[in-house]
Amino acid sequence: MARVLIAYSHQRVYRDADGNPMLDRNILSAVLDVQHCLQEKGHKVARAILRRNPSGFLKALARFKPDVIFNLCEEVDGDTNKEKAAAAFFDLLDVPFTGNDALALALCLNKPLTKRLLQAAGIPTPAFLTVEVPSRANLPFAFPAIVKPMREDG
């Protein structure tokens, strides 16, 4: 069976609708669920948190010597723009890992670019507008509309 190192982001702090800091506990829950499923299938599993200073992660990697990294990193030290850096880091380590590579993550985390690529490929996609500064400009579509941050995964 395989030796699987689950790489994950430590607890993420986000803000609720009132601006209050909240702790995202779903990350550890997902990590434990993945660990349980892998162990049920007979795999040897370890966990390691990836932080901006990767020394702890590198120690865990050297100690455990995984066959594969199960990538659950959606940010590094609270910075969601570093999701792609985690994949690039695993690639540099030359250890196979699950999920998308850094290029795919970089493209998909840039929603306007992704929309333009889809359109160029002839794939139907709803109309969109990139707004740098909120305004009440004439919109090319009617409300209701979905509003998303340009460079976040949510």
Side-chain angles (χ1 to χ4, degrees):
M1 289 292 149
R3 298 174 63 81
V4 182
L5 180 64
I6 301 173
Y8 65 103
S9 313
H10 70 333
Q11 298 170 332
R12 180 168 46 185
V13 176
Y14 64 96
R15 303 245 175 227
D16 68 10
D18 296 322
N20 300 313
M22 302 291 292
L23 187 60
D24 183 352
R25 298 189 184 279
N26 292 331
I27 294 168
L28 188 55
S29 175
V31 169
L32 295 175
D33 287 346
V34 168
Q35 180 176 356
H36 176 75
C37 290
L38 289 169
Q39 287 173 329
E40 272 191 342
K41 295 293 183 184
H43 301 291
K44 185 163 173 100
V45 181
R47 301 185 312 256
I49 296 171
L50 181 62
R51 298 181 190 269
R52 190 174 303 272
N53 177 344
S55 61
F57 183 86
L58 290 170
K59 287 177 187 172
L61 186 77
R63 186 173 44 251
F64 188 66
K65 298 177 180 48
D67 299 311
V68 65
I69 294 172
F70 197 107
N71 182 11
L72 290 178
C73 294
E74 291 186 348
E75 50 91 4
V76 177
D77 286 342
D79 185 350
T80 56
N81 285 318
K82 298 289 186 261
E83 180 178 5
K84 58 189 172 283
F89 180 61
F90 302 148
D91 197 27
L92 284 172
L93 293 172
D94 205 25
V95 179
F97 60 95
T98 63
N100 289 308
D101 65 14
L103 177 59
L105 290 170
L107 289 173
C108 289
L109 288 172
N110 184 329
K111 290 179 187 66
L113 176 59
T114 299
K115 296 282 278 186
R116 287 184 191 97
L117 290 171
L118 292 170
Q119 289 173 335
I123 299 170
T125 179
F128 75 101
L129 174 69
T130 301
V131 178
E132 297 293 331
V133 178
S135 70
R136 298 202 184 271
N138 291 330
L139 299 175
F141 48 83
F143 282 96
I146 298 171
V147 178
K148 290 185 158 196
M150 207 162 75
R151 289 187 171 82
E152 296 283 334
D153 64 354

